[in-house]
Amino acid sequence: MKRWGRKHLLGLEGMSAEEINFILDEAVSFREISERPLKKVPTLRGKSVVMLFFEPSTRTRASFELAAKRLSADTVSIASSSSSVVKGETLLDTARNLEAMKVDIIVMRHSMPGAPHMLARHLRAAVINAGDGAHEHPTQGLLDLLTIRDHFGSFDGLCVGIVGDIAHSRVARSNILGLTSLGAEVIVCGPPTLIPRDIDRMGVQVTTHLDELLPRVDALNILRIQLERQGRSLFPSLREYSRIWGVNNAVLDKADKKLLIMHPGPVNRGVELAPEVADGEHSVILDQVTNGVAVRMALLYHLSGVAEMERADEAAA
Amino acid sequence: MKRWGRKHLLGLEGMSAEEINFILDEAVSFREISERPLKKVPTLRGKSVVMLFFEPSTRTRASFELAAKRLSADTVSIASSSSSVVKGETLLDTARNLEAMKVDIIVMRHSMPGAPHMLARHLRAAVINAGDGAHEHPTQGLLDLLTIRDHFGSFDGLCVGIVGDIAHSRVARSNILGLTSLGAEVIVCGPPTLIPRDIDRMGVQVTTHLDELLPRVDALNILRIQLERQGRSLFPSLREYSRIWGVNNAVLDKADKKLLIMHPGPVNRGVELAPEVADGEHSVILDQVTNGVAVRMALLYHLSGVAEMERADEAAA
Amino acid sequence: MKRWGRKHLLGLEGMSAEEINFILDEAVSFREISERPLKKVPTLRGKSVVMLFFEPSTRTRASFELAAKRLSADTVSIASSSSSVVKGETLLDTARNLEAMKVDIIVMRHSMPGAPHMLARHLRAAVINAGDGAHEHPTQGLLDLLTIRDHFGSFDGLCVGIVGDIAHSRVARSNILGLTSLGAEVIVCGPPTLIPRDIDRMGVQVTTHLDELLPRVDALNILRIQLERQGRSLFPSLREYSRIWGVNNAVLDKADKKLLIMHPGPVNRGVELAPEVADGEHSVILDQVTNGVAVRMALLYHLSGVAEMERADEAAA
């Protein structure tokens, strides 16, 4: 595979192992740019990238902005509230307006599942899903996959445990879709109320006990408990959650080997993850962040049309 | 006319046809930049543009930012609340501070009519009015004029209808001032409570019936009903408004010809404008948006002092 | 002194006269860049600067952004609320995340005294304190010092009066630390309730009467009364404050000579400072703002590692 044929990045659903590995390979070569003393290349000079965030975000937006700026793209950031009911038509009008300003890529976060897909059906500009409700968060999925591949070399025979609120997590969904496409085994683990009934249709196994999970996995992806959302209703209490599903060193002793520790951030220290584990030697939480910039640079490059142009130039030469 | 003599862009009031056509001509040549694969020129490299927005804005700010960035200017965006009563002196101090930071252009939106004029009297930096209360929105006016000129070639014998809340609309005011300066005829139309009594002093005709308006005009500029402001008090109800002054295909059948359909956005679909018309073949709503970036690029160039410098260089050579 | 050895700028506490004068000298040479028609140099191209502001700020953030952009650095701005109680660990996690994105400099404002010091202990990225609670605001201190040095040439035999809410002012603290390090005399003046009891340990003299202060000083640094904080409780009323500690022309007549008038902005006109004085011929308030950009450019340069690299290149050549 020498090129990436997709026009948008809406989700990892339906993405082949070849496609995923292609973009991870590209991310590795872009990652090197951020390690240089001068972290800047002219690749996307003259391209316009808009961050259209209908939900608050600090890290993901900063990561996309840095990725775009290190590629010399122009960026404009728009933060809107989705608290007022936003009709689909209005959202589309907003996006069409940005397109009429000759924007090349719209990076979008929205509380409504499928919102970026709707835009993609109507726009010529490329759309990147930066999180759509509880549906998908494909760049997070890709950066998690890259972090796992960095460590284990391949996904053959690998088993990844995902721990926490599976039902409401777009991170969990994108990870499951990517990992199963790449041939890894996935086991989800969490309170019964936070695991969708038909999750096995996604090709994963289910357990509600960390004790059962730990001996079977190579890596743990521990989800953030969204204190502001379900904290009070879907499980008895935070203390209870932490006691049963929180990951600390004592819990990890039940594994046969040292597990790779991942978390999409920000960590609720002492709730889903003990500080000793978050900062421990098997934690790759900050590597995930570093890989996030790299994955986003690779995607911005391949969705901007510049890769295409460069190929055409080479073919003509 | 080979140069644009104004130091600021405060409004279309008092602007000659020659001046307006000069800046529209310039906008046409800048528009081409946004059509290129690489939308960037070094024209304003080393110039600093500040967006000083005391009212929320997504589209206008994004349009100005993209315009500035495509010209390689540095931009800083400041969003302030004007809900707390802001004294004139404090506003002036804020602007003087920005000037002391050696900012070249201040793009300003404020709820107080005349706020940018006050700044312009005291600053050496150039001031662009991006909307001052219900007074003027000159860059919107210019982009509307460019869109009309694109379509009809000239303003001779042209008649433009402006429909909606004339009384509270800075878009209406800037359009009226520009169109009458260019020799076009203007008819305003809307609920009697939303048309200022002495509007005829601006050289426009008035009607409160779409039936009367439609046979006489070539283009319709349909204003946004500001749901958040007058919705409840100044006319019976939205449904009532929509039934009487809303523009849909059935209404347009009363015109003798196909009318050019304009709207400053964002459209309240189904209120002042039916989706079938907004998305219809005579709608130029998205062309307006495209022209907005072009008009703003032309203005930033001519107000930055760079045009002046380039002329001096040419003269010396 | 040919180089600046510090990795962070956390405060003026403990900074030698030589160090301060070095950075002021550097600021003078960077100041020239902002006076050019094209205010841009490629010095920090490929460096990433994050503005991490947990308290609202317009001027300081704009000044840092312009400084960074005129040096061609990439900037990302993050505004967070510190109203929700932010644990130290969470703050550190945020900063570690930014560092994992390969950010070179974090410019940080936080309501918690010592917050930037905590980050600096744990990060490899450089940290600039843009205000930490009532503790320090070192770039404001440096720009004040530069403005004084511009005017008087040196600090020998100089006496500076600082008037206002000494107890809650990070500006006062940084000024006192810098001025005493440079050998100037400092007298603080304000309501007894707003002067810390042990302030004399910082090497300053104290008076509660402007009449006593004025004959002894060469320059006045008049602090902003934070209406939103102490206005009601720590002194009788604003009118009372203004009558006793407000500086106007009548008050200044009590000085033997013309005093240099400084204020960190924004001025509450008619409260702590009369408009006639703020805009008078001895006011250098806007020079302070201009110097702010210059001081910040010098600091960004020396904390970015670029100065170091350039020296190594020279040594190798």
Side-chain angles (χ1 to χ4, degrees):
Chain A
M1 182 159 163
K2 287 197 172 171
R3 44 171 296 189
W4 207 60
R6 291 180 184 264
K7 192 166 162 12
H8 308 283
L9 180 75
L10 303 174
L12 297 192
E13 188 163 7
M15 202 174 283
S16 70
E18 191 186 15
E19 282 181 291
I20 293 173
N21 273 313
F22 174 79
I23 207 73
L24 300 189
D25 291 343
E26 290 291 284
V28 169
S29 66
F30 277 101
R31 185 166 58 192
E32 177 266 326
I33 293 168
S34 293
E35 302 291 346
R36 297 182 195 168
L38 305 188
K39 297 174 284 289
K40 189 121 181 167
V41 291
T43 314
L44 294 195
R45 194 162 188 284
K47 297 294 176 184
S48 305
V49 178
V50 169
M51 316 291 156
L52 182 60
F53 276 64
F54 291 88
E55 285 190 325
S57 162
T58 297
R59 298 167 183 230
T60 303
R61 185 182 59 79
S63 179
F64 268 112
E65 273 201 45
L66 286 169
K69 286 177 174 172
R70 289 186 185 152
L71 294 170
S72 300
D74 290 327
T75 64
V76 170
S77 200
I78 298 174
S80 290
S81 161
S82 60
S83 62
S84 61
V85 180
V86 177
K87 289 185 207 169
E89 284 186 340
T90 303
L91 172 63
L92 184 55
D93 277 346
T94 301
R96 275 184 177 143
N97 266 268
L98 293 171
E99 188 174 66
M101 294 178 199
K102 309 301 176 188
V103 160
D104 299 282
I105 301 181
I106 297 175
V107 177
M108 181 201 192
R109 170 167 288 189
H110 200 283
S111 59
M112 187 172 67
H117 306 68
M118 191 266 285
L119 290 198
R121 277 193 300 277
H122 291 93
L123 298 184
R124 284 178 309 277
V127 177
I128 297 181
N129 180 2
D132 61 329
H135 183 227
E136 278 226 41
H137 190 353
T139 58
Q140 178 73 42
L142 289 168
L143 73 88
D144 289 341
L145 295 171
L146 178 55
T147 308
I148 293 171
R149 202 184 76 169
D150 281 344
H151 199 259
F152 294 103
S154 94
F155 297 88
D156 293 343
L158 207 68
C159 182
V160 177
I162 304 178
V163 182
D165 178 357
I166 308 299
H168 300 90
S169 173
R170 53 194 177 205
V171 176
R173 277 188 59 85
S174 288
N175 266 273
I176 291 169
L177 290 160
L179 286 166
T180 52
S181 174
L182 288 162
E185 210 178 325
V186 180
I187 312 176
V188 299
C189 175
T193 48
L194 297 181
I195 297 182
R197 265 176 209 229
D198 55 354
I199 188 79
D200 53 335
R201 292 197 199 159
M202 293 188 79
V204 305
Q205 299 174 65
V206 178
T207 176
T208 55
H209 290 86
L210 279 178
D211 287 6
E212 265 183 47
L213 180 74
L214 287 173
R216 298 164 62 191
V217 297
D218 303 291
L220 283 184
N221 199 342
I222 296 146
L223 303 175
R224 171 178 169 80
I225 283 296
Q226 309 260 334
L227 303 176
E228 59 283 13
R229 289 194 200 164
Q230 312 83 4
R232 250 133 292 265
S233 52
L234 292 172
F235 48 86
S237 74
L238 276 185
R239 180 173 299 187
E240 186 80 353
Y241 181 88
S242 177
R243 200 177 54 79
I244 305 181
W245 291 284
V247 174
N248 55 32
N249 273 342
V251 167
L252 288 177
D253 282 344
K254 294 170 187 166
D256 300 333
K257 53 194 154 191
K258 294 300 175 191
L259 306 184
L260 196 72
I261 301 296
M262 303 169 71
H263 188 293
V267 177
N268 297 305
R269 291 172 166 257
V271 182
E272 72 267 6
L273 193 57
E276 66 206 28
V277 180
D279 303 331
E281 60 174 322
H282 299 285
S283 165
V284 288
I285 294 176
L286 294 176
D287 296 330
Q288 291 173 268
V289 177
T290 301
N291 283 337
V293 177
V295 158
R296 285 159 187 141
M297 289 175 82
L299 287 165
L300 289 170
Y301 171 65
H302 281 282
L303 296 178
S304 68
V306 170
E308 202 80 25
M309 275 169 49
E310 288 178 353
R311 264 194 309 278
D313 286 354
E314 269 174 43
Chain B
M1 180 158 163
K2 288 199 171 166
R3 44 171 293 187
W4 207 59
R6 290 179 186 264
K7 191 164 163 13
H8 309 284
L9 180 77
L10 303 174
L12 297 192
E13 187 163 9
M15 201 174 285
S16 70
E18 191 186 17
E19 282 180 292
I20 293 174
N21 273 314
F22 174 79
I23 207 73
L24 299 189
D25 291 343
E26 290 291 284
V28 169
S29 67
F30 278 100
R31 186 166 57 193
E32 177 268 326
I33 293 168
S34 293
E35 302 292 346
R36 297 181 194 170
L38 305 189
K39 298 174 284 289
K40 188 121 181 168
V41 292
T43 313
L44 294 196
R45 192 161 190 286
K47 297 293 175 184
S48 305
V49 179
V50 169
M51 316 291 157
L52 182 60
F53 277 64
F54 292 89
E55 286 189 326
S57 162
T58 296
R59 297 166 184 232
T60 303
R61 184 181 59 78
S63 178
F64 268 112
E65 271 201 45
L66 286 168
K69 285 176 175 174
R70 288 186 185 152
L71 295 170
S72 299
D74 291 326
T75 64
V76 170
S77 201
I78 298 174
S80 290
S81 161
S82 60
S83 61
S84 62
V85 180
V86 177
K87 290 185 207 167
E89 284 186 339
T90 303
L91 171 63
L92 183 55
D93 277 347
T94 300
R96 276 183 176 144
N97 266 267
L98 293 171
E99 187 174 68
M101 294 177 198
K102 308 302 175 189
V103 160
D104 299 283
I105 301 180
I106 296 176
V107 177
M108 181 200 191
R109 171 167 288 190
H110 200 283
S111 59
M112 186 172 68
H117 306 68
M118 189 265 285
L119 290 197
R121 277 193 301 277
H122 291 94
L123 298 185
R124 285 176 310 276
V127 177
I128 297 181
N129 180 2
D132 61 329
H135 183 227
E136 280 227 40
H137 190 354
T139 58
Q140 178 73 42
L142 289 169
L143 73 89
D144 289 341
L145 295 171
L146 179 55
T147 309
I148 293 171
R149 203 183 76 170
D150 281 344
H151 199 259
F152 294 103
S154 94
F155 296 89
D156 293 343
L158 207 69
C159 182
V160 177
I162 304 178
V163 182
D165 177 357
I166 310 297
H168 301 90
S169 172
R170 54 194 177 205
V171 176
R173 277 187 60 85
S174 288
N175 266 273
I176 292 169
L177 290 161
L179 286 165
T180 52
S181 174
L182 288 162
E185 210 178 326
V186 181
I187 312 176
V188 299
C189 175
T193 47
L194 297 181
I195 297 182
R197 266 175 206 230
D198 56 352
I199 188 78
D200 54 333
R201 292 195 200 159
M202 292 188 78
V204 304
Q205 298 174 66
V206 178
T207 175
T208 55
H209 289 85
L210 277 179
D211 287 6
E212 265 183 48
L213 180 75
L214 287 174
R216 299 164 61 192
V217 297
D218 303 290
L220 283 184
N221 198 342
I222 297 147
L223 303 175
R224 172 178 168 80
I225 283 296
Q226 310 260 335
L227 303 176
E228 59 284 12
R229 289 193 199 165
Q230 312 85 5
R232 251 132 288 266
S233 51
L234 292 171
F235 50 85
S237 74
L238 276 185
R239 179 174 300 187
E240 186 80 355
Y241 181 89
S242 177
R243 199 178 55 77
I244 305 181
W245 290 284
V247 175
N248 55 31
N249 273 343
V251 167
L252 287 177
D253 281 344
K254 296 170 186 163
D256 301 332
K257 53 194 154 192
K258 294 298 175 192
L259 305 183
L260 196 72
I261 301 296
M262 303 169 71
H263 189 293
V267 177
N268 296 305
R269 290 170 169 260
V271 182
E272 72 267 5
L273 193 58
E276 66 207 29
V277 182
D279 303 332
E281 60 174 321
H282 299 285
S283 166
V284 289
I285 295 175
L286 294 176
D287 297 330
Q288 291 173 270
V289 176
T290 301
N291 282 337
V293 177
V295 158
R296 286 160 187 138
M297 288 174 83
L299 287 165
L300 289 170
Y301 171 65
H302 282 282
L303 296 178
S304 68
V306 170
E308 201 80 26
M309 275 168 47
E310 288 177 353
R311 265 196 307 280
D313 286 354
E314 271 174 43
Chain C
M1 181 159 162
K2 286 199 172 169
R3 46 172 292 189
W4 207 58
R6 289 179 186 265
K7 189 162 165 14
H8 309 282
L9 179 76
L10 303 174
L12 298 192
E13 186 163 8
M15 201 175 283
S16 70
E18 192 186 16
E19 281 181 291
I20 293 174
N21 273 313
F22 174 79
I23 207 73
L24 300 188
D25 291 343
E26 290 291 285
V28 168
S29 66
F30 277 101
R31 185 165 58 193
E32 177 266 328
I33 293 169
S34 293
E35 302 291 347
R36 298 182 194 167
L38 305 189
K39 297 173 284 289
K40 188 119 180 170
V41 292
T43 314
L44 294 196
R45 195 162 187 285
K47 296 294 175 183
S48 306
V49 178
V50 170
M51 316 290 157
L52 182 60
F53 276 65
F54 292 88
E55 286 190 324
S57 163
T58 297
R59 299 168 182 228
T60 303
R61 185 182 57 80
S63 179
F64 269 111
E65 273 202 45
L66 286 169
K69 286 176 174 172
R70 289 185 185 153
L71 294 169
S72 299
D74 291 327
T75 64
V76 169
S77 200
I78 298 174
S80 290
S81 161
S82 59
S83 60
S84 62
V85 180
V86 177
K87 289 186 206 168
E89 283 186 340
T90 302
L91 171 63
L92 183 55
D93 277 346
T94 300
R96 276 184 177 142
N97 266 268
L98 293 171
E99 187 174 66
M101 294 178 199
K102 309 301 175 187
V103 160
D104 299 283
I105 301 180
I106 297 175
V107 177
M108 180 199 191
R109 171 167 289 189
H110 200 283
S111 59
M112 186 173 68
H117 306 68
M118 189 265 285
L119 289 198
R121 276 194 301 277
H122 291 93
L123 298 184
R124 284 177 309 275
V127 177
I128 297 180
N129 179 3
D132 60 329
H135 182 228
E136 279 226 40
H137 190 353
T139 57
Q140 178 74 42
L142 289 169
L143 73 89
D144 289 341
L145 295 171
L146 178 55
T147 308
I148 293 171
R149 202 183 76 169
D150 281 344
H151 200 261
F152 294 103
S154 93
F155 296 89
D156 293 342
L158 207 69
C159 181
V160 177
I162 304 178
V163 181
D165 179 355
I166 310 298
H168 300 90
S169 172
R170 54 195 177 204
V171 176
R173 276 188 60 85
S174 288
N175 265 272
I176 291 169
L177 290 162
L179 286 165
T180 52
S181 174
L182 288 161
E185 209 177 326
V186 181
I187 311 177
V188 299
C189 175
T193 48
L194 297 181
I195 297 182
R197 266 178 206 226
D198 55 354
I199 188 77
D200 53 333
R201 290 196 201 160
M202 293 188 78
V204 304
Q205 299 175 64
V206 179
T207 174
T208 55
H209 290 85
L210 278 178
D211 287 7
E212 265 183 49
L213 180 74
L214 286 173
R216 298 165 60 193
V217 296
D218 304 289
L220 282 184
N221 199 341
I222 298 147
L223 303 175
R224 171 178 168 80
I225 282 297
Q226 310 261 334
L227 303 176
E228 59 284 13
R229 288 194 199 164
Q230 310 84 5
R232 250 133 292 266
S233 51
L234 291 172
F235 48 84
S237 73
L238 276 185
R239 178 174 299 186
E240 186 79 355
Y241 181 88
S242 178
R243 199 178 55 77
I244 305 182
W245 290 283
V247 175
N248 55 31
N249 272 344
V251 167
L252 288 177
D253 281 344
K254 294 171 186 163
D256 301 331
K257 53 195 153 191
K258 294 300 173 190
L259 305 184
L260 195 73
I261 301 296
M262 303 169 70
H263 189 293
V267 177
N268 296 304
R269 290 170 168 259
V271 181
E272 74 266 4
L273 192 58
E276 67 206 28
V277 181
D279 303 331
E281 60 175 321
H282 299 285
S283 166
V284 288
I285 295 175
L286 294 176
D287 297 330
Q288 291 172 269
V289 176
T290 301
N291 283 337
V293 177
V295 158
R296 286 161 186 138
M297 289 175 83
L299 287 166
L300 289 170
Y301 171 65
H302 281 282
L303 296 178
S304 67
V306 170
E308 201 81 25
M309 275 169 47
E310 289 178 354
R311 263 194 311 278
D313 286 353
E314 269 174 44

